[in-house]
Amino acid sequence: MERSRFRKICVFCGSHSGHREVFSDAAIELGNEFVKRKIDLVYGGGSVGLMGLISRRVYEGGFHVLGIIPKALMPIEISGETVGDVRVVADMHERKAAMAQEAEAFIALPGGYGTMEELLEMITWSQLGIHKKTVGLLNVDGYYNSLLALFDTGVEEGFIKPGARNIVVSAPTAKELMEKMEEYTPSHKHVAAHESWKVEELGAYPGQQSKPQ
């Protein structure tokens, strides 16, 4: 398999594993895809739940893992030894900014409010033109069907532009999602010019260099 166009992807996912094994299987499957495609992982830094599963799989596969975690969550989301490198930050805002800066694309696995909030912020930043990075959604066993339907309703009711609806790349399996993300080309217009944002704070995109301050 040829090397992916992405070198580092940020994965948002739960600090719980969910009630069904299908979610754990999906996290491991996504980790396997990263290893096959030689992709490093950026994630929330926890060693429990789906976070722990995907981080260990990528790390054991020989690729770099960077966990970014607020100091207050360390006793809650880290159990036993940490996986890979861990960067401790002050708060949730700093965590998201650092994850966005480090990664070249984003994927959300099933998770709770935190996972959904991180996903929606990256979708919004793409719509606004703050970043040009691909946003993927691993819709395991229809977990996100209702959220995707809500996005469709937003288009129907005139709150989301049809092009912006296509920001979200979704698929039911890790392999299919990665294939779709590799081929993704944005079709939406940015609300504001990409150059008008302080985009250097988010780092370089694949094939681009950060502009000097």
Side-chain angles (χ1 to χ4, degrees), residues 24 36 40 57 112 128 160 167 174 184-185 211:
S24 297
K36 287 179 190 174
D40 294 330
R57 182 65 201 94
L128 292 174
I160 298 174
I167 290 170
Y184 173 77
T185 302
K211 294 181 180 179

Side-chain angles (χ1 to χ4, degrees), residues 23-45:
F23 302 122
S24 297
D25 291 344
I28 294 168
E29 181 189 2
L30 183 59
N32 286 335
E33 284 295 320
F34 277 30
V35 172
K36 287 179 190 174
R37 297 168 186 271
K38 300 178 173 60
I39 299 171
D40 294 330
L41 171 69
V42 179
Y43 82 117

Side-chain angles (χ1 to χ4, degrees), residues 150-164:
L150 179 61
F151 294 162
D152 292 334
T153 299
V155 174
E156 293 166 9
E157 299 291 352
F159 291 101
I160 298 174
K161 294 184 183 299

